[in-house]
Amino acid sequence: MAIFLFFWISLTPFVDLTGEATLDPSAGNSNRLNQIVSLSLFAGTLCYGIFHPLRATILQPRALLLPMFGWFLFVSLISSHPMLGIKAVILTVMATINASIYLLMPNSERQFAKMLAIGTLIMLATAYYGIVFKPELSIHQLSELREPMNAGMWRGHFPHKNSAAAAMVVAAFFGLFVMSVWSRLAGIAIIVLSVVFLMHTGGKTSSAMLPAILILAWMFERVRFLRIPIVIGGVGLFNLFAVGSAVFRPLGNFVTSLGIDATFTNRADIWRFAFDALAQNPITGYGIKAFWQTQELVYGGGNVETWAVAAANGHNSYLDIALMAGIPGLVMTLLWVLVLPLRDISRLSPAIEHSPLTRLFIRVWLYLIFNAGLESLFFEGGNLLWFTFLFCLYGLRFQSSATLTEDRAAPAERPAPHV
């Protein structure tokens, strides 16, 4: 529960976006209390994992993760800001280890659903508390320095309306799972509260993706031959129409003719600038956390006639990984977040394949791999969506080797996760 609340509420909720400090991306992101709590939770989780019978599952698959993190470390060491990259890699490894142990803690699926329900309700109570009692810190204001055009849109205790919208979509998935496994009343409450909040965030993409992902997940579960086209083809096409429309003018005109905003809420300038930068350094990239919001870009990019030099990130997880770690880093990331989950799902037994737990993992996974086409969330150590995405990846991995307790007639030769 401490881990869940640490990521989903944080130690510094209700950030003031009207102060000048918000223009400095490094301001407020790190403080001593946060570091102490983060390290303490990691130490406790790691100790639990080391003494768990399934400790061999920690940080798997190591054959992919160790070379990938090693490559991230290498490109960071040769970058202009090696310390930023080293810190980011360490935080990412810590988050991955936490996620690989997280699902080993509950005694059963029902207990997991209960704890998930309690944590999500606390998170929702915090968000609504802000709307009622701290509206100046939980509803976007005209006085905000960075994006005053968002005035009136709800963000709760989250730093931005888009973060709040994405979190509410995932919370709605939690509610559906809780309805099926633990409490229908608690599940309905979570769904209603999440959807109402989502509608007030102004997050059009997330609002549209909630029903779309539910339909897509239903098709994914029941029509096996569509799984690879949905994931590989779907993510590829989504990024082609998004980033591609910014880079290739004819494609952008085609997207506009379909009645779709080809700028994707002014992201096109960012993607065009990022794509040009990637073309100059496609193999090693620019290092982890060593491109966006660096002094060279913000203060040395005056000769570049685009406001995109001041962007906080690339608003596309796949493009950001390529920028930071080059094409090799992107390929290893795609293997981890797209290919391996598909392999794990293909190994599920029929009973587990259609279980509420597997359904939860698949819904969250599908939503976040598509949402990653519009937001930057991969390898963000303290990001709640990244941590949730990670434990769903491990959930699918565990499910692929799990057996239902009631169907196990004799002790298995190899212990299987009871998730």
Side-chain angles (χ1 to χ4, degrees), residues 227-262:
R227 291 178 177 177
I228 293 178
I230 285 174
V231 174
I232 306 298
V235 170
L237 283 175
F238 190 85
N239 281 276
L240 176 64
F241 276 97
V243 180
S245 65
V247 178
F248 304 107
R249 296 293 184 182
L251 183 57
N253 296 333
F254 173 71
V255 171
T256 301
S257 69
L258 297 177
I260 302 173
D261 176 17

Side-chain angles (χ1 to χ4, degrees), residues 3 41 122 127 144 292 368:
I3 293 173
L41 287 174
I122 293 174
E144 293 177 10
W292 298 110
L368 292 179

Side-chain angles (χ1 to χ4, degrees), residues 79-138:
S79 72
S80 302
H81 301 275
M83 293 310 299
L84 289 177
I86 293 171
K87 178 182 176 181
V89 172
I90 291 173
L91 291 176
T92 297
V93 172
M94 288 172 57
T96 307
I97 291 174
N98 279 339
S100 65
I101 300 172
Y102 186 72
L103 294 177
L104 302 180
M105 295 181 182
N107 290 325
S108 65
E109 183 180 14
R110 181 176 174 82
Q111 188 191 32
F112 175 61
K114 178 180 178 181
M115 302 306 288
L116 198 61
I118 294 171
T120 305
L121 287 170
I122 293 174
M123 180 275 294
L124 289 167
T126 304
Y128 277 97
Y129 167 82
I131 299 299
V132 176
F133 297 104
K134 294 186 175 183
E136 71 282 358
L137 297 178
S138 55

Side-chain angles (χ1 to χ4, degrees), residues 14 120-135 138-139 154-158 168 189-201:
F14 305 114
T120 305
L121 287 170
I122 293 174
M123 180 275 294
L124 289 167
T126 304
Y128 277 97
Y129 167 82
I131 299 299
V132 176
F133 297 104
K134 294 186 175 183
S138 55
I139 300 176
W154 290 11
R155 63 182 178 94
H157 59 282
F158 300 97
M168 293 303 157
I190 291 171
I191 294 169
V192 172
L193 292 171
S194 300
V195 171
V196 169
F197 203 102
L198 173 62
M199 294 298 103
H200 284 84
T201 63

Side-chain angles (χ1 to χ4, degrees), residues 24-26 81 84 146 266-278 286-299 304 306-325 375-376 380:
D24 179 5
S26 62
H81 301 275
L84 289 177
R146 190 177 288 277
N266 296 324
R267 290 177 172 89
D269 290 339
I270 299 175
W271 294 336
R272 196 175 298 116
F273 173 68
F275 202 85
D276 290 341
L278 176 62
Y286 294 86
I288 308 300
K289 299 296 182 182
F291 184 76
W292 298 110
Q293 292 288 292
T294 56
Q295 291 183 347
E296 294 87 350
L297 194 63
V298 176
Y299 300 108
V304 181
T306 174
W307 66 273
V309 295
N313 54 64
H315 289 281
N316 183 291
S317 299
Y318 306 100
L319 184 56
D320 265 353
I321 291 301
L323 272 174
M324 293 188 293
E375 299 295 341
S376 293
E380 296 288 336

Side-chain angles (χ1 to χ4, degrees), residues 21 56 118 140 166 254 330 337 375 384:
I118 294 171
H140 283 288
F254 173 71
L330 176 61
V337 303
E375 299 295 341
L384 69 94

